[in-house]
């Protein structure tokens, strides 16, 4: 399976946990023997402007983070485009699902998922989209940007019981009618991460669920990295999701 990546994502660009040294290395170490790496390219300013206000972009530029945040958004676009033909995972950072049109928090700067979905829509590639955001934290930025646009449904699972959580995801995906399914893949709800709920096998299972839902409707599907902060398990969790998306 193709994985979008760039060595610039190794850089420690801020002091937050998403930017920690060793975090991306932990994923690369596990998945690199098994995947085809595609080099990420920056999103165009036009793609960023389609989602974020000029004032917000200026703030990110003034922080010296526009280049790395644009590279993450560009990687998400590439994953979405490839995902229309075959499953794809974007190993990118900074994450994005807490970035709204004119503000951002939670280690996010540009909303990678929103940039990718708007790129597909504006190109005429899709009419309908669905987003599964299984990060521990509610993807408020994605909802703020895309929730009222009419072409996107967004699911942030809310169950606090593991079995119920998986049933909720499965039930929601069984109802999906979309041209593309995007996964905001935050692994911080793992049993050895901040949330303490899900197992590594659960990520493989959710990847399989998304694959099955996409196959039923002929939709494309892709995933982008959001949270996940325990370096000892992050790579294994990402690899489990990739395996599920790839039909293993």
């Amino acid at each position: 399976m193709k994985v979008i990546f760039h060595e610039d994502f190794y850089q420690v660009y801020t002091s937050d946990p998403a930017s920690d040294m060793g975090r991306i290395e932990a994923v690369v170490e596990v998945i690199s023997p098994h995947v085809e790496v595609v080099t990420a390219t920056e999103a165009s300013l036009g793609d960023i402007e389609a989602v974020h206000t000029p004032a917000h972009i200026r703030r990110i530029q003034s922080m010296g983070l526009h280049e790395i945040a644009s590279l993450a958004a560009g990687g998400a676009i590439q994953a979405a485009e490839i995902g229309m033909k075959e499953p794809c995972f974007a190993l990118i950072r900074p994450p994005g699902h807490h970035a709204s049109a004119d503000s951002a928090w939670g280690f996010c700067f540009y909303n990678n998922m929103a940039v990718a979905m708007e790129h597909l829509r504006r190109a005429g590639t899709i009419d309908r989209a669905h987003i599964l955001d299984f990060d521990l934290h509610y993807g408020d930025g994605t909802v703020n940007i895309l929730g009222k646009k009419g072409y996107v449904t967004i699911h942030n699972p809310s169950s606090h019981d593991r079995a119920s959580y998986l049933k909720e995801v499965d039930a929601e995906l069984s109802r999906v009618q979309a041209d593309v399914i995007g996964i905001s893949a935050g692994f911080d709800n793992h049993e050895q991460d901040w949330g303490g709920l899900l197992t590594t096998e659960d990520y493989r299972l959710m990847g399989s669920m998304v694959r099955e839902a996409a196959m039923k409707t002929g939709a494309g599907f892709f995933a982008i990295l959001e949270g996940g902060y325990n370096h000892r398990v992050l790579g294994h969790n990402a690899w489990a999701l990739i395996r599920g998306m790839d039909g293993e």
Side-chain angles (χ1 to χ4, degrees):
M1 194 166 107
K2 291 184 175 68
V3 170
I4 312 301
F5 178 68
H6 196 288
E7 290 191 355
D8 283 359
F9 295 134
Y10 287 134
Q11 68 178 279
V12 177
Y13 50 85
T14 63
S15 60
D16 67 56
S19 180
D20 272 354
M21 182 179 296
R23 180 171 179 258
I24 293 297
E25 289 88 339
V27 182
V28 171
E29 181 180 359
V30 174
I31 73 171
S32 60
H34 312 289
V35 300
E36 177 186 346
V37 175
V38 177
T39 302
T41 58
E42 286 188 24
S44 70
L45 186 58
D47 278 316
I48 304 295
E49 290 174 335
V51 167
H52 293 287
T53 65
H56 181 70
I57 295 170
R58 287 195 296 271
R59 281 194 293 272
I60 303 306
Q61 289 171 331
S62 70
M63 296 166 67
L65 295 169
H66 176 77
E67 184 174 310
I68 189 66
S70 294
L71 188 60
I77 290 173
Q78 289 169 268
E81 290 178 330
I82 292 171
M84 295 306 299
K85 298 179 181 178
E86 60 185 281
C88 187
F89 179 79
L91 177 55
I92 57 177
R93 69 176 183 183
H97 75 153
H98 294 308
S100 296
D102 194 42
S103 64
W105 68 286
F107 323 142
C108 302
F109 304 103
Y110 295 146
N111 194 304
N112 304 318
M113 181 61 77
V115 169
M117 289 301 190
E118 279 292 277
H119 178 90
L120 292 181
R121 185 193 63 82
R122 293 189 306 126
T125 304
I126 62 167
D127 294 317
R128 299 173 299 176
H130 179 77
I131 297 169
L132 167 62
D133 186 338
F134 59 62
D135 191 278
L136 169 63
H137 305 98
Y138 184 79
D140 58 312
T142 306
V143 172
N144 291 342
I145 294 171
L146 297 178
K148 296 181 180 179
K149 287 189 176 288
Y151 75 94
V152 185
T153 55
I154 305 169
H155 181 211
N156 288 265
S158 58
S159 299
H160 299 291
D161 171 77
R162 176 174 165 258
S164 299
Y165 187 104
L166 295 171
K167 288 179 181 178
E168 179 186 338
V169 172
D170 193 34
E172 187 72 20
L173 287 170
S174 71
R175 296 188 288 267
V176 167
Q177 296 292 325
D179 302 311
V180 67
I181 301 174
I183 305 172
S184 276
F187 298 101
D188 44 353
N189 212 2
H190 186 262
E191 59 187 354
Q192 296 180 43
D193 211 309
W194 293 353
L197 182 66
L198 301 173
T199 70
T200 298
E201 171 62 16
D202 293 338
Y203 294 114
R204 188 202 63 79
L205 181 58
M206 287 192 287
S208 296
M209 290 177 184
V210 169
R211 179 183 179 87
E212 181 179 351
M215 294 299 179
K216 281 183 179 178
T217 60
F221 61 110
F222 68 98
I224 63 175
L225 180 64
E226 299 282 3
Y229 307 105
N230 184 339
H231 300 183
R232 292 184 293 106
V233 295
L234 179 57
H236 299 287
N237 293 336
W239 175 230
L241 176 68
I242 290 168
R243 286 171 49 230
M245 292 173 65
D246 210 24
E248 293 186 27

